Amino acid sequence: MLQEFMKIIEIKTTDVIYKINNNYDASKDMTDGYKLTISPQLLQREDDKTKGLIIINTQIFDENYEEENVPFYLKITTIGEFDSENTGKPFVEFGAQALNITLPYVRSFITTLTSASGGESVTLPLISIEELLQSMSKNKGFESDEN
């Protein structure tokens, strides 16, 4: 028997803020590593519960990037649109799968942007989907300090 899955309608990065610190002093050790915040949000349509979005807000460092002597500030929003109609189940039951499908797009976008900008390429670490799902249920962001 063929198992049916939800369909990906579209995945896109909708908002990007990327500021490079031209005064970054690499000789000063950045002991805290990259400050990474990932905040996912799952939204299901009211009129058709088989359709929905996952919105992933990702931030590396913050607006005080110059004062904190870090190389850049990056904030992006990535949206995945999905349809679970062929499963007969509501979209919210597929939150883990939507997150699993969309997160690699976030990682790839960040790596491409940072490497193409002339700075050091940033590759996000593998992220615990379970921790992100817990944060979605609490409506909070998952924070991790990564080196």
Side-chain angles (χ1 to χ4, degrees):
M1 182 170 134
L2 179 64
Q3 187 177 6
E4 295 184 89
F5 297 97
M6 67 177 173
K7 291 192 302 189
I8 302 169
I9 305 301
E10 180 177 47
I11 297 176
K12 60 185 175 183
T13 297
T14 58
D15 295 301
V16 179
I17 299 172
Y18 184 51
K19 297 180 179 183
I20 296 174
N21 183 357
N22 292 317
N23 298 317
Y24 172 61
D25 184 354
S27 68
K28 294 182 181 175
D29 186 28
M30 196 173 62
T31 56
D32 293 337
Y34 293 109
K35 181 169 187 211
L36 171 65
T37 304
I38 299 175
S39 304
Q41 182 181 13
L42 202 61
L43 301 174
Q44 179 174 273
R45 280 184 42 183
E46 288 292 322
D47 61 336
D48 185 349
K49 300 212 181 284
T50 64
K51 294 178 177 44
L53 303 173
I54 185 153
I55 302 169
I56 303 175
N57 291 301
T58 307
Q59 182 173 304
I60 303 176
F61 301 123
D62 60 31
E63 295 89 352
N64 299 319
Y65 65 103
E66 290 176 317
E67 295 85 13
E68 295 173 1
N69 189 47
V70 294
F72 61 88
Y73 164 59
L74 174 62
K75 183 176 181 180
I76 68 168
T77 301
T78 304
I79 299 175
E81 182 179 0
F82 296 91
D83 182 342
S84 64
E85 184 177 24
N86 60 347
T87 69
K89 297 179 181 176
F91 168 70
V92 293
E93 292 186 25
F94 296 93
Q97 291 88 343
L99 186 57
N100 247 340
I101 290 167
T102 309
L103 203 51
Y105 287 85
V106 173
R107 293 179 82 229
S108 175
F109 184 88
I110 289 172
T111 298
T112 301
L113 177 66
T114 56
S115 65
S117 69
E120 183 177 323
S121 176
V122 174
T123 302
L124 293 184
L126 295 176
I127 306 295
S128 168
I129 297 299
E130 288 182 25
E131 288 183 42
L132 284 173
L133 289 171
Q134 289 173 1
S135 75
M136 279 188 345
S137 66
K138 295 176 185 174
N139 203 18
K140 295 180 181 176
F142 169 76
E143 291 191 359
S144 172
D145 286 331
E146 297 295 334
N147 291 323

